[in-house]
Amino acid sequence: MAEAARDLFGQPATRVDGPAKVTGAAKYGSDEPLSNPAYACLVTSAVARGRVTGFDLAEARSTAGVLDILTHENVAGLAKPIPPIGGGGSSTTTLESDQVWHDGQIIAIVLADTLEAAQEGAARVGVRYAAETPSATFDSPGAESEPAKSEGKPKPLPSVGDAGSAFAAAAVKIDQRYSTPTQHHNPIELFTTSCAWDGPNLTIYEPTQSMWGLKAAVAKQLGIDAANVRTISRYVGGAFGSRGSVTTRTAWIAVAAKRLGRPVKLVPTRAQGFTIVTYRAETRHRLRLGANRDGRLTALQHEGWEVSSRPTAYNVAGVETTARMYACPNIATAVTVVHADRNTPGFMRAPPDTPYMFALESAMDELAYALEMDPIELRRINDTQVDPVSGHPFSSRSLMACFDRAAERFGWSRRNPRPTSMSDGDWQIGWGCATSTYPSNIGPAAARLSLQGDGTALLQLAGHEIGTGAYTVCALTAAHALGLPIEAVRVELGDSALPPMPGAGGSNNAASGASVVAKACEEARARLASAAVADRAGPFFQHDPGSLRLSDGHLVADGAREPLPAALRRVTNGALEIHAENIPEGLPPDSLAKLYKGEMTLLRGTSRKDVTAYAFGAHLVEVKVHRLTREIRTSRVVSAFAAGTLVNPLTAYSQFMGGAIWGLSSALHEATEIDPASARYINTNLADYLIPVNADVPSLEVIMVAEDDERVNPLGIKGIGEIGIVGMNAAVANAVFHATGVRIRDLPIRAEKLL
Ligand code: MOS
């Protein structure tokens, strides 16, 4: 069954939700109509560290239309602090006390009859602070370091052999430091929340990557039963991790709605989105690579430093990935968290892998030059089918197939290896490459499948459409498994009243969702088959039920065939409802119970413990750097990926391409600037926060390398949402070095760094 399902995938399908999206029929969180809503406007802290000593609210309260103002003085204790994310201590809080943890922290919420009145009232709120000098980032006085922890204990990190001695003895050595900047999400849909109470029942409309997680967390904060909370998030206008963590705003909007006895709607500003949700923190790295003269790695030491908030030790520890990239007998890793007066960081597309692979893949390029070896050949020499940390095989690993396909398409064999050797008029040309990778994750999931008397199917699950094509993935999977045209499958996602899916993070959604949908369809087939073979009057009497299958809208067996509606008439009411649950092999049995409790229970790697599972890819990049102005243009990109089964190659192509473009952004454009004195973000708008536009990406080609992975999970799905971004920053930096002879180790690469 699994093999057959794998074979069925692979036909490109346009998005089933495409028409709704382009006609405006798709409802995003703040599109949901509310009856007589009040509007909320946030007041955020103007200092990064200290205390609020008092508010002057008279003017704000007397503003026409203002209904109420929430501060810690009148609501502290009504919502408990949210549980911390990613291990570590307690999270930062808002409206709990007079304490200010970071610039831009929510310190008051003004509620009014109209948005304009709320905004005016908020502008009139006076705040008195006892401000202290904040620590902004690395090297700021007062920033405090500690080794990365997980649930309060030192985080176990990869370590193999004796890397220190091996490095000391290595014939060729690289010892360099790299850094990546702060980055903020800026999805087009803002971080909105609407809350409405109906007696004891709370409905939350909020773009989220974790509907059941949000429901459970807000219930816990408010001290109410999760059964009374419903979250609705039918479409999400950009997520990428920014909607993966519960933030403090949601519970306070629920509190506000309760106090007013009417629904409350919050649409924060773009700038507020920099401080009221999570972001990618700046990182630093020291990479030591030791190798033999033939290029084989003998030592790999990767130390990382990451910034977090004062009370929370959030960290991504991407050494888990870099330690596994290449065959190496001696590996040492370490991660240090540096606490500063900042909001708590969190997930952002390939959170660990994007910064850590920049360091490793830059260092690998430096090693290739030190060895006078082609950088692709260096990766070939160190390629491995065995995870060097665990000793287990990779479920599948097609890294070199990706490099070879991309290199052929790119014309890599024409590369002159010498830096500054290639040019076109006043433009220096550089060709660079890097490895891409991302772990394959899967979680438990549940789904409801209803086969209707007319031969159509309704599929319902609390899946997340974060732009990735989740509606289409579910529809395709059911259409394949039920032998129906995709138009005959209706999909409902985005409502916590439906059976739970794990949070849409870690690129698990296609694997988790398609697996449970396939299981529901198989259960439906089995029920129809067992009823059919027991029916003396039907065409399948005494057939082997296992031999009956669903195809072309029919139940079929050798020499027998019956339309689906006729087959359905043998079961209750001529319709069939299946509630399916799937616990992937390798996950503990209680993971399903945790899913219903809103806890994320992802399996990193694979459904088998004796195998390591990652998807792999290769980025090849051409840059042009102007001799005089040092303007940097990306002129050509070819990226190849092997990520197991692609449920829908059409949306997969877009995912890979979007990821690769974000990688270019990470290399050349993106950075949040922080004022070191005030610990305040400066470029908190889409004009000053640089991202690539079409003119920055003239030619980008994606090659999808076929890969059939029988070990990662029964459907062979590795996940594709995050791999596209990983390594691209290094590929560009390596190309810039090849063009100019200047090695940029601190992102982003900007013209001024090449002067
Ligand atoms: Mo992702 S950063 O797990 O949405």
Side-chain angles (χ1 to χ4, degrees):
M1 140 79 202
E3 208 168 303
R6 279 210 305 274
D7 291 346
L8 284 165
F9 291 129
Q11 297 306 311
T14 55
R15 287 172 188 263
V16 297
D17 51 338
K21 281 184 167 168
V22 298
T23 58
K27 279 204 176 66
Y28 292 78
S30 58
D31 297 335
E32 299 279 355
L34 301 169
S35 144
N36 185 33
Y39 295 83
C41 187
L42 304 177
V43 178
T44 60
S45 176
V47 304
R49 181 184 170 104
R51 299 195 171 273
V52 173
T53 54
F55 292 99
D56 299 314
L57 299 179
E59 255 196 76
R61 283 198 197 286
S62 66
T63 305
V66 167
L67 302 166
D68 195 2
I69 301 174
L70 275 49
T71 70
H72 72 272
E73 291 173 351
N74 59 6
V75 297
L78 295 183
K80 293 189 205 65
I82 53 170
I85 50 169
S90 66
S91 186
T92 55
T93 55
T94 63
L95 307 189
E96 291 296 329
S97 73
D98 58 359
Q99 171 121 28
V100 175
W101 295 101
H102 62 88
D103 177 72
Q105 174 182 317
I106 300 169
I107 53 171
I109 303 176
V110 178
L111 305 165
D113 279 323
T114 63
L115 174 63
E116 292 75 10
Q119 288 169 334
E120 187 174 348
R124 291 179 173 183
V125 167
V127 188
R128 281 168 275 122
Y129 301 96
E132 296 165 39
T133 306
S135 311
T137 179
F138 295 125
D139 303 334
S140 298
E144 293 168 308
S145 298
E146 62 168 339
K149 283 191 244 162
S150 171
E151 282 159 17
K153 290 184 222 113
K155 212 173 204 179
L157 295 171
S159 168
V160 182
D162 181 355
S165 304
F167 181 77
V172 182
K173 299 178 198 189
I174 297 295
D175 181 357
Q176 289 294 352
R177 290 176 183 268
Y178 306 88
S179 75
T180 66
T182 319
Q183 296 180 343
H184 278 82
H185 277 281
N186 288 296
I188 293 305
E189 183 184 16
L190 295 165
F191 295 100
T192 69
T193 299
S194 295
C195 288
W197 290 89
D198 179 5
N201 298 314
L202 169 65
T203 303
I204 301 166
Y205 303 96
E206 180 177 301
T208 176
Q209 291 173 253
S210 179
M211 252 163 285
W212 276 66
L214 181 64
K215 162 190 158 114
V218 172
K220 209 177 275 179
Q221 285 178 271
L222 299 178
I224 62 176
D225 189 340
N228 292 119
V229 181
R230 181 180 180 191
T231 51
I232 295 182
S233 180
R234 301 183 207 280
Y235 293 92
V236 177
F240 308 106
S242 68
R243 333 267 197 195
S245 305
V246 180
T247 67
T248 59
R249 73 190 193 274
T250 317
W252 291 120
I253 296 303
V255 166
K258 185 122 213 168
R259 277 164 72 93
L260 293 184
R262 67 197 261 201
V264 172
K265 180 170 180 168
L266 167 71
V267 180
T269 64
R270 174 69 53 195
Q272 286 168 345
F274 278 69
T275 60
I276 66 167
V277 302
T278 60
Y279 61 100
R280 195 197 297 282
E282 56 272 37
T283 68
R284 286 178 172 177
H285 307 263
R286 181 180 185 189
L287 231 302
R288 276 170 283 186
L289 296 179
N292 293 332
R293 296 244 170 251
D294 64 3
R296 275 181 300 127
L297 288 170
T298 56
L300 184 156
Q301 293 174 272
H302 193 165
E303 291 168 78
W305 288 263
E306 307 176 25
V307 162
S308 188
S309 63
R310 200 56 88 167
T312 303
Y314 178 84
N315 63 88
V316 297
V319 293
E320 287 289 353
T321 289
T322 54
R324 290 176 159 79
M325 270 318 90
Y326 301 109
C328 184
N330 301 290
I331 300 168
T333 62
V335 174
T336 300
V337 174
V338 178
H339 295 276
D341 298 299
R342 297 272 298 282
N343 50 321
T344 302
F347 317 125
M348 188 159 166
R349 205 170 200 163
D353 317 277
T354 302
Y356 280 76
M357 284 290 280
F358 169 66
L360 175 64
E361 290 302 294
S362 295
M364 284 294 281
D365 200 65
E366 301 206 44
L367 179 61
Y369 282 100
L371 290 161
E372 298 187 0
M373 182 178 283
D374 180 88
I376 296 179
E377 289 315 303
L378 177 62
R379 286 162 175 92
R380 194 184 314 281
I381 286 167
N382 290 291
D383 189 29
T384 174
Q385 294 296 320
V386 176
D387 174 347
V389 177
S390 68
H392 297 145
F394 286 103
S395 66
S396 62
R397 171 161 159 144
S398 310
L399 174 63
M400 294 322 299
C402 292
F403 268 111
D404 291 340
R405 290 280 304 280
E408 191 187 351
R409 182 77 199 164
F410 191 88
W412 186 261
S413 61
R414 299 193 304 275
R415 179 178 184 264
N416 182 332
R418 198 168 53 78
T420 73
S421 62
M422 293 164 61
S423 61
D424 173 12
D426 275 338
W427 294 88
Q428 297 178 297
I429 293 180
W431 290 3
C433 71
T435 292
S436 179
T437 190
Y438 195 76
S440 306
N441 299 316
I442 191 168
R448 188 186 305 135
L449 170 68
S450 312
L451 293 182
Q452 328 265 359
D454 62 359
T456 64
L458 171 64
L459 194 56
Q460 296 170 301
L461 62 164
H464 306 84
E465 172 47 48
I466 56 177
T468 50
Y471 283 99
T472 313
V473 161
C474 290
L476 271 176
T477 307
H480 289 328
L482 297 171
L484 293 174
I486 192 167
E487 300 77 35
V489 180
R490 197 153 62 80
V491 180
E492 289 180 10
L493 308 175
D495 185 341
S496 72
L498 305 178
M501 272 278 288
S507 302
N508 88 88
N509 238 18
S512 309
S515 297
V516 73
V517 169
K519 192 168 179 192
C521 295
E522 167 54 21
E523 286 179 29
R525 186 210 62 82
R527 288 272 296 280
L528 290 172
S530 71
V533 299
D535 180 2
R536 284 171 182 281
F540 306 103
F541 183 54
Q542 288 185 340
H543 274 67
D544 168 14
S547 72
L548 271 61
R549 53 194 198 279
L550 292 162
S551 176
D552 286 330
H554 287 70
L555 188 62
V556 297
D558 283 348
R561 188 177 167 83
E562 181 181 54
L564 183 55
L568 275 163
R569 261 174 243 129
R570 287 193 199 92
V571 295
T572 327
N573 303 325
L576 183 57
E577 187 175 299
I578 304 281
H579 179 93
E581 293 174 340
N582 187 48
I583 306 180
E585 186 195 337
L587 273 171
D590 72 342
S591 60
L592 196 65
K594 285 186 173 171
L595 178 76
Y596 282 93
K597 276 195 251 159
E599 291 169 28
M600 181 97 155
T601 54
L602 278 194
L603 188 66
R604 183 180 165 105
T606 171
S607 59
R608 290 172 40 170
K609 288 196 172 26
D610 53 350
V611 164
T612 296
Y614 278 76
F616 291 91
H619 295 296
L620 272 59
V621 175
E622 177 184 273
V623 299
K624 295 186 173 181
V625 180
H626 196 274
R627 241 177 252 291
L628 303 171
T629 66
R630 309 317 266 158
E631 179 183 355
I632 308 157
R633 309 296 300 174
T634 310
S635 39
R636 224 152 48 84
V637 174
V638 179
S639 298
F641 303 97
T645 302
L646 301 179
V647 176
N648 183 1
L650 188 67
T651 44
Y653 192 97
S654 298
Q655 282 285 295
F656 289 133
M657 185 165 59
I661 292 170
W662 202 344
L664 296 176
S665 185
S666 158
L668 296 171
H669 304 274
E670 228 176 310
T672 306
E673 309 295 341
I674 307 168
D675 173 33
S678 61
R680 170 176 284 204
Y681 304 130
I682 296 166
N683 51 340
T684 58
N685 58 73
L686 281 176
D688 297 315
Y689 188 90
L690 303 183
I691 55 170
V693 297
N694 281 339
D696 293 311
V697 192
S699 163
L700 193 155
E701 199 175 327
V702 170
I703 298 170
M704 298 187 288
V705 176
E707 186 179 66
D708 189 5
D709 189 329
E710 296 175 0
R711 299 197 278 197
V712 63
N713 52 57
L715 295 177
I717 298 170
K718 284 185 167 178
I720 57 170
E722 292 171 85
I723 185 172
I725 190 175
V726 180
M728 181 60 91
N729 41 22
V732 173
N734 298 342
V736 167
F737 176 77
H738 184 234
T740 64
V742 181
R743 177 69 65 180
I744 305 296
R745 301 186 180 90
D746 305 301
L747 293 180
I749 305 163
R750 300 239 173 98
E752 61 268 27
K753 294 184 183 173
L754 293 173
L755 286 171

